[in-house]
Amino acid sequence: MISILSRINELAKKEKEEGLTNAERVEQQSLREDYLREIRGQVLGTFSRLTVVDPLGNDVTPEKVRKAKAEQEETEEDAPGVVNRIRRYLD
């Protein structure tokens, strides 16, 4: 991940200073998409572990998140599949 970010920054700096070739533009776009995909996966993973509690201490976690959380616990090693199921539940 850090290597991706450093390369994104290198290309951004080069773009400002001297411009990019077409191949570098394509690489930059691809790296940015990969980076965003990684971040979105982390956010969805975090949401899948959330429990929402009201001021009285009652669990008021939305049903969609509970289902996604239960599925994640069943198939912990299938991380990409879990992220896709969470997306479907939250949509």
Side-chain angles (χ1 to χ4, degrees), residues 30-42:
S30 175
L31 290 171
R32 286 177 174 171
E33 289 171 4
D34 290 346
Y35 177 76
L36 288 174
R37 193 174 307 113
E38 177 81 22
I39 296 299
R40 287 179 184 128
Q42 290 175 3

Side-chain angles (χ1 to χ4, degrees), residues 44 47-49 61-76 81-90:
L44 288 172
F47 278 125
S48 72
R49 292 185 297 275
T61 305
E63 189 62 31
K64 290 179 179 182
V65 175
R66 274 195 214 140
K67 285 181 182 178
K69 189 175 185 179
E71 285 184 19
Q72 181 180 12
E73 289 170 357
E74 291 174 7
T75 59
E76 195 67 45
V82 170
V83 170
N84 289 333
R85 285 192 296 278
I86 293 168
R87 279 193 184 118
R88 283 196 307 268
Y89 284 127
L90 296 176

Side-chain angles (χ1 to χ4, degrees), residues 14-48:
K14 184 177 178 190
E15 183 178 31
K16 287 180 183 178
E17 292 174 352
E18 59 191 79
L20 297 175
T21 66
N22 286 335
E24 289 170 329
R25 283 188 223 284
V26 170
E27 178 187 9
Q28 183 184 44
Q29 184 62 32
S30 175
L31 290 171
R32 286 177 174 171
E33 289 171 4
D34 290 346
Y35 177 76
L36 288 174
R37 193 174 307 113
E38 177 81 22
I39 296 299
R40 287 179 184 128
Q42 290 175 3
V43 170
L44 288 172
T46 300
F47 278 125
S48 72

